[in-house]
Amino acid sequence: MTEPFYITTPIYYVNARPHLGHAYTTIIADVITRFHRMCGAESFFLTGTDEHGDKIVRAAKKENTSPRLYVDQISALFRRLWPELDIDYSHFIRTTDAGHISVVEQILQKIYDAGDIYFSEYEGKYCFGCERFYTERELVDGRCPDHETEPEVIKESNYFFKMSKYQDWLIDHIRRHPDFIRPERYKNEVLAFLREPLEDLCISRPKSRLKWGISLPFDNDYVTYVWFDALLNYVSALGYPDGEAFRKYWPVAQHIVAKDILKPHGIYWPIMLKAAGIDTYRHLNVHGYWNIEQSKMSKSLGNVVEPLELKNIYGLDSFRFFLLRDMTFGLDSSFSESALVQRINSDLANDLGNLFSRTLTMAGKYFKAVVPAADPKIDADLKLGLKSAAAETVDTYEAAMATFGFNRALQATWDFIGRMNKYIDVMAPWELAKKDANRKQLEAVIYNLLEGLRIISGLIYPVMPQTAATMQKHLGLDPSAKFYSLEKLKSWGGLAAGTRLLKSIILFPRIETKSTGPRATHEGPAEKEKPEKLPEITIEEFTRVDLRVATVVKAEAVPRARKLLKLEIDLGEKRTIVAGIAGNYEPAELVGKQVIVVANLKPAKLMGILSNGMLLAAVDGDRVTLATLDREATPGTRLS
Ligand code: MSP
């Protein structure tokens, strides 16, 4: 029987809105869970929010609200976002849940009773941003490496956890289990850290300084250090100590984190588990960072990418595909909209989209949209290695997915898609269709193409569940049957002759890149480009567009965005607009110019800047010419 599968994401701090980085981790947890379900494993996928500590108190204060109301509000943002990204978690934990708090108290008491927590006075350098003491060797030029601020010297009495006692045990455990922390670079990083003596961990904060936390069960004047509290979510969510889920899933626990929180997960956590008498987790899977056009994503740089915005512009499956295809698990990756568009146009619209629509169109034309039977005698010659290539693809895919090699799994799938496209070119079904004598061959060729698509639809399911469902529906497969089972992808011939197919469709519209901004069009990938003919509209419909005269007051380049200019305009009121006209206009030549603006367009964020309206322009290839007026008009005048 297949082993159960348990995966967790970090529980996210509620001091900021969810962004691309959080979405990435949570999407890969969703993908790996869907994959294990395909393999027949009972699976549990845990995510949630980390809600205690000073960071949260300060964030709440900034919003003029109480920590309680604040955490409820931001936690809900995370919880509601995930289903919008097709993230199908099993449980959402909050560290303010009563069940979690009780487990933290139990475990603290247990470790305290065992003598691994002691009380002592300590003077050290404390970073308020990280909410922890730093040792000299961890500081960079005397500053916190994360916040680049000088930590403050603090002297206070606190409770300490005897991490040092377990240092040798941990080194030994990591050596004996080479894939305990993976990829290897992060295992090496942890081992390098463990070469120096481990200091004991300060696990309390006096209530005189911080009240928003879980009280220590053995001293009511203190709250628990937020990391000691947060890490325990991974067992409290399963109903530690004697819940059924804990018994079933804890022995196979795997965590996903990014490199920023390697130390708490690679060092504190296994030692906490050891001290509490709980077996340690099986794997810590560590990924790299998404940077934005080469720089760190941060609020202060204004380049924080909102996942929903990308989903709304490019489509959810395309967004998920890009994230998994363009990052090698463990390494950093750079995000840019142009790379995303390129991936969509080449891998999705061209390779997969074309294969799908060509095949269904041919099946419709030659076989009235019914799966033909492949005569085994003839078919043997006509598979041209397709069958063995499919089997190899599924094997490579399975091995890669099991070890978080998402991009390798997708690469293998796309190699197979490439092979299928070549198969069409070599077999030229349109030539076979010309002669009745070739009918049997044509049947076998179309059958093989449809069967190949069935296998592809299963392989893409964890990453692109909606596209997989659409493909399967068009291939006449019953969505309630388990066509995602990996077992069913391992054997050729699962598609039954006589099955009714649906009409060909375009799975992924090409993204037009020449306009002033990215725009999804509904042109087919194979079609020649021609001016889009739009349907007729009534005068009432036209008047719903609020076109206004505006004067450009200020213009400047948007850092790290080749095509964008940020404009301040006056249309009776001041507005900011981000326009894709850099390269066609210098900022200086725009100031004073009168332009035409769509004033009631829903605001959208581009490179972190809220654009409130859109300029009208003639777009001819790369040449963009702004629409202007032939004499001056009062800013704000409506065009009709
Ligand atoms: N609350 C702690 C985790 C406690 S777990 C017991 C925390 N929260 S966090 O909100 O800061 O989330 C950090 C995690 O968010 C990273 O480990 C990673 O999963 C994700 N990411 C945040 N920024 C990221 C990128 N720029 N790129 C990729 N992932 C990133 O730390």
Side-chain angles (χ1 to χ4, degrees):
M1 226 186 80
T2 317
E3 254 191 346
F5 178 72
Y6 175 39
I7 196 79
T8 71
T9 71
I11 46 171
Y12 304 110
Y13 286 130
V14 288
N15 61 342
R17 297 167 58 82
H19 61 55
L20 178 75
H22 306 121
Y24 173 71
T25 313
T26 321
I27 288 172
I28 56 177
D30 179 67
V31 170
I32 197 91
T33 307
R34 287 176 191 266
F35 166 71
H36 280 271
R37 291 197 174 125
M38 274 171 81
C39 298
E42 269 191 276
S43 304
F44 195 96
F45 160 18
L46 176 70
T47 189
T49 41
D50 187 354
E51 306 186 1
H52 289 128
D54 198 43
K55 249 194 239 298
I56 312 301
V57 175
R58 272 182 289 148
K61 211 176 251 163
K62 224 168 121 193
E63 298 291 320
N64 274 327
T65 181
S66 68
R68 165 62 57 196
L69 288 176
Y70 182 75
V71 297
D72 283 352
Q73 190 192 333
I74 309 283
S75 175
L77 279 185
F78 278 90
R79 204 177 53 246
R80 283 197 224 115
L81 171 64
W82 302 143
E84 297 228 33
L85 301 180
D86 272 356
I87 290 168
D88 187 14
Y89 56 77
S90 316
H91 182 64
F92 189 97
I93 187 160
R94 303 180 56 183
T95 52
T96 46
D97 289 342
H100 171 75
I101 293 171
S102 142
V103 168
V104 173
E105 287 166 353
Q106 279 175 59
I107 290 183
L108 276 166
Q109 190 66 53
K110 193 168 177 192
I111 299 180
Y112 182 72
D113 292 345
D116 282 344
I117 290 176
Y118 62 92
F119 190 64
S120 163
E121 184 165 85
Y122 185 77
E123 183 176 299
K125 295 196 167 169
Y126 192 81
C127 169
F128 279 89
C130 301
E131 295 182 45
R132 74 173 181 96
F133 287 100
Y134 269 91
T135 59
E136 280 305 333
R137 73 185 161 101
E138 287 178 304
L139 299 173
V140 178
D141 299 327
R143 288 168 181 269
C144 159
D146 260 2
H147 296 89
E148 293 171 10
T149 48
E150 261 184 53
E152 284 179 37
V153 176
I154 285 194
K155 188 174 177 181
E156 65 189 19
S157 294
N158 263 313
Y159 286 87
F160 288 83
F161 170 46
K162 282 189 190 163
M163 288 216 301
S164 50
K165 178 173 156 191
Y166 297 98
Q167 175 159 6
D168 291 341
W169 165 80
L170 182 58
I171 295 172
D172 187 56
H173 184 83
I174 296 174
R175 294 228 167 100
R176 278 165 192 261
H177 302 87
D179 59 358
F180 178 59
I181 299 173
R182 58 189 185 187
E184 202 174 357
R185 56 196 294 134
Y186 297 111
K187 172 185 89 172
N188 295 338
E189 213 173 285
V190 168
L191 283 174
F193 196 85
L194 289 170
R195 256 181 239 130
E196 305 287 329
L198 256 190
E199 290 195 17
D200 291 342
L201 183 69
C202 176
I203 54 131
S204 64
R205 299 292 180 262
K207 282 192 182 163
S208 53
R209 187 145 68 75
L210 174 71
K211 287 191 184 59
W212 184 243
I214 301 177
S215 296
L216 291 182
F218 41 82
D219 190 338
N220 201 33
D221 290 339
Y222 288 84
V223 293
T224 312
Y225 169 45
V226 66
W227 270 104
F228 203 96
D229 155 3
L231 286 160
L232 289 168
N233 89 88
Y234 301 135
V235 293
S236 70
L238 295 180
Y240 169 88
D242 40 31
E244 176 55 29
F246 181 71
R247 259 197 298 275
K248 179 166 162 194
Y249 291 112
W250 185 250
V252 293
Q254 295 202 39
H255 304 301
I256 305 177
V257 296
K259 60 183 187 180
D260 55 335
I261 49 177
L262 173 62
K263 192 174 162 192
H265 284 83
I267 297 178
Y268 307 171
W269 181 223
I271 292 184
M272 282 167 65
L273 288 164
K274 178 79 182 157
I278 306 171
D279 284 343
T280 194
Y281 56 79
R282 191 178 276 186
H283 299 294
L284 177 64
N285 304 287
V286 188
H287 66 76
Y289 248 46
W290 278 102
N291 296 319
I292 307 301
E293 314 238 2
Q294 318 300 341
S295 28
K296 202 174 165 185
M297 184 168 29
S298 81
K299 249 196 217 165
S300 51
L301 283 177
N303 62 357
V304 174
V305 175
E306 296 246 359
L308 273 187
E309 231 177 81
L310 292 172
K311 171 201 158 174
N312 291 341
I313 299 177
Y314 299 105
L316 178 57
D317 278 8
S318 303
F319 171 54
R320 288 174 59 119
F321 174 77
F322 172 79
L323 291 183
L324 277 101
R325 179 65 188 81
D326 268 48
M327 182 177 260
T328 301
F329 193 86
L331 303 179
D332 289 353
S333 214
S334 185
F335 177 86
S336 75
E337 279 192 58
S338 58
L340 170 61
V341 168
Q342 208 180 327
R343 270 280 172 226
I344 295 174
N345 285 346
S346 69
D347 292 20
L348 299 181
N350 273 359
D351 300 345
L352 175 57
N354 260 350
L355 173 65
F356 184 72
S357 59
R358 283 163 98 189
T359 304
L360 280 183
T361 302
M362 290 190 288
K365 197 161 156 191
Y366 306 139
F367 298 104
K368 297 202 172 74
V370 172
V371 178
D375 181 336
K377 274 181 268 144
I378 292 191
D379 186 29
D381 298 335
L382 292 179
K383 280 197 201 90
L384 286 187
L386 224 47
K387 181 178 166 181
S388 57
E392 278 164 32
T393 304
V394 178
D395 284 349
T396 311
Y397 170 94
E398 186 177 10
M401 289 291 278
T403 51
F404 291 74
F406 305 112
N407 62 341
R408 281 183 285 119
L410 290 173
Q411 178 67 61
T413 310
W414 258 254
D415 287 348
F416 182 64
I417 290 172
R419 199 170 176 129
M420 294 263 290
N421 273 319
K422 216 174 243 151
Y423 183 79
I424 299 185
D425 298 342
V426 172
M427 302 311 299
W430 49 92
E431 292 298 333
L432 295 174
K434 284 181 186 160
K435 285 200 193 134
D436 277 352
N438 292 334
R439 187 70 183 169
K440 286 240 168 275
Q441 294 195 7
L442 183 63
E443 283 173 354
V445 167
I446 299 297
Y447 180 84
N448 290 337
L449 287 168
L450 291 167
E451 173 62 3
L453 282 175
R454 176 188 72 88
I455 292 173
I456 292 165
S457 73
L459 295 178
I460 65 166
Y461 161 74
V463 178
M464 298 194 280
Q466 289 178 9
T467 307
T470 307
M471 285 178 72
Q472 302 206 341
K473 195 173 87 195
H474 282 258
L475 291 171
L477 299 170
D478 171 5
S480 63
K482 291 226 168 213
F483 282 103
Y484 304 120
S485 141
L486 204 70
E487 225 24 66
K488 290 202 173 160
L489 305 181
K490 284 183 176 169
S491 47
W492 187 270
L495 201 58
T499 305
R500 280 214 73 79
L501 304 164
L502 297 189
K503 242 177 105 185
S504 172
I505 48 153
I506 290 165
L507 284 179
F508 301 96
R510 274 185 80 77
I511 307 290
E512 185 65 73
T513 50
K514 289 186 222 126
S515 63
T516 45
R519 189 165 60 96
T521 70
H522 293 280
E523 260 172 79
E527 265 176 53
K528 266 206 140 167
E529 285 179 26
K530 50 182 181 281
E532 223 175 332
K533 199 158 177 235
L534 298 170
E536 267 180 6
I537 56 168
T538 62
I539 187 83
E540 287 75 27
E541 282 170 316
F542 173 70
T543 51
R544 291 178 56 208
V545 183
D546 188 9
L547 296 173
R548 302 271 172 171
V549 175
T551 308
V552 178
V553 183
K554 203 171 144 194
E556 60 190 51
V558 174
R560 293 178 307 284
R562 255 184 326 115
K563 291 198 170 162
L564 300 184
L565 291 183
K566 178 181 167 192
L567 309 178
E568 300 274 306
I569 56 161
D570 172 10
L571 47 61
E573 65 188 39
K574 290 268 169 12
R575 292 251 189 124
T576 300
I577 284 191
V578 179
I581 54 173
N584 284 277
Y585 290 91
E586 288 301 320
E589 70 180 295
L590 289 169
V591 176
K593 215 185 234 326
Q594 287 211 305
V595 289
I596 300 170
V597 172
V598 182
N600 61 338
L601 194 70
K602 207 168 168 194
K605 245 190 197 169
L606 289 166
M607 293 299 288
I609 305 168
L610 194 68
S611 180
N612 206 345
M614 185 175 78
L615 301 191
L616 288 196
V619 181
D620 179 12
D622 284 337
R623 200 175 142 79
V624 180
T625 310
L626 284 174
T628 55
L629 299 161
D630 73 349
R631 62 171 170 232
E632 203 170 328
T634 315
T637 308
R638 184 148 191 219
L639 277 87
S640 57

Coordinates of all heavy atoms in Angstrom, one line a residue, residues 31 41 86 98 115-116 129 171 274 311 363 399 463 478 488 530 537 620:
V31 N 0.9 21.4 -5.5 CA 1.3 20.5 -6.7 C 1.8 19.2 -6.2 O 1.4 18.1 -6.7 CB 2.3 21.2 -7.5 CG1 3.0 20.3 -8.5 CG2 1.7 22.5 -8.2
A41 N -1.7 8.1 -2.7 CA -1.4 8.3 -1.3 C -2.5 9.1 -0.6 O -2.9 10.1 -1.2 CB 0.0 9.0 -1.1
D86 N -6.4 27.9 -6.8 CA -6.7 26.4 -6.8 C -5.8 25.6 -5.9 O -5.3 24.6 -6.2 CB -6.4 25.9 -8.3 CG -7.7 26.0 -9.1 OD1 -8.7 26.4 -8.6 OD2 -7.6 25.7 -10.3
A98 N -7.2 27.7 19.8 CA -7.1 27.2 21.2 C -6.4 25.8 21.2 O -5.6 25.6 22.1 CB -8.5 27.0 21.7
G115 N 13.8 19.0 32.3 CA 15.1 19.8 32.7 C 15.8 20.4 31.6 O 16.9 20.9 31.7
D116 N 15.2 20.5 30.4 CA 15.8 21.1 29.2 C 15.5 22.6 29.1 O 15.9 23.2 28.1 CB 15.5 20.3 28.0 CG 16.3 19.1 27.9 OD1 17.3 18.9 28.6 OD2 16.0 18.2 27.1
G129 N 13.4 43.5 14.7 CA 12.8 43.1 13.4 C 12.6 41.6 13.4 O 11.6 41.0 13.0
I171 N 23.9 16.6 14.5 CA 25.0 16.4 13.5 C 24.9 14.9 13.0 O 24.9 14.6 11.8 CB 26.4 16.7 14.0 CG1 26.4 18.2 14.3 CG2 27.5 16.3 13.0 CD1 27.7 18.7 15.0
K274 N 13.2 16.4 19.4 CA 14.0 15.4 20.1 C 13.8 15.6 21.7 O 13.5 14.6 22.4 CB 15.5 15.6 19.8 CG 16.4 14.7 20.5 CD 16.4 13.3 19.9 CE 17.4 12.4 20.6 NZ 17.0 11.0 20.4
K311 N -2.8 36.4 -11.9 CA -3.8 35.4 -12.3 C -4.8 36.1 -13.2 O -5.2 35.5 -14.2 CB -4.4 34.8 -11.0 CG -5.7 34.0 -11.3 CD -6.6 33.8 -10.1 CE -8.0 33.5 -10.6 NZ -8.9 33.2 -9.6
A363 N -9.4 15.1 -35.7 CA -10.3 14.0 -35.3 C -11.7 14.4 -35.6 O -12.6 13.5 -36.0 CB -10.2 13.8 -33.8
A399 N 9.9 10.3 -11.0 CA 11.1 10.4 -10.2 C 11.4 11.8 -9.9 O 11.7 12.2 -8.8 CB 12.3 9.8 -10.9
V463 N 0.0 20.6 -11.8 CA 0.4 22.0 -12.0 C -0.8 22.8 -12.6 O -1.0 23.9 -12.2 CB 1.6 22.1 -12.9 CG1 2.0 23.5 -13.2 CG2 2.8 21.3 -12.3
D478 N -14.7 10.8 -18.6 CA -15.7 11.2 -17.5 C -14.9 11.8 -16.3 O -14.0 11.1 -15.7 CB -16.4 9.9 -17.1 CG -17.2 10.1 -15.8 OD1 -17.3 11.2 -15.4 OD2 -17.8 9.1 -15.3
K488 N -2.8 4.8 -14.4 CA -3.5 4.9 -15.7 C -2.7 5.6 -16.8 O -3.0 5.5 -17.9 CB -4.8 5.6 -15.5 CG -5.8 4.7 -14.7 CD -7.2 5.1 -15.0 CE -8.1 4.2 -14.3 NZ -9.5 4.7 -14.1
K530 N -3.9 39.8 -37.8 CA -4.6 40.8 -38.6 C -5.3 41.7 -37.6 O -5.6 41.3 -36.5 CB -5.5 40.1 -39.6 CG -6.4 39.1 -38.9 CD -7.3 38.4 -40.0 CE -8.2 37.4 -39.5 NZ -7.8 36.1 -39.2
I537 N -21.1 47.7 -31.2 CA -21.7 48.1 -29.9 C -22.6 49.2 -30.1 O -22.6 49.9 -31.1 CB -20.6 48.6 -28.9 CG1 -19.7 49.7 -29.5 CG2 -19.7 47.4 -28.4 CD1 -18.8 50.4 -28.4
D620 N 1.4 50.3 -33.4 CA 1.7 49.7 -34.7 C 3.1 49.0 -34.5 O 4.1 49.6 -34.6 CB 1.8 50.8 -35.8 CG 2.2 50.1 -37.1 OD1 2.1 48.9 -37.2 OD2 2.5 50.9 -38.1

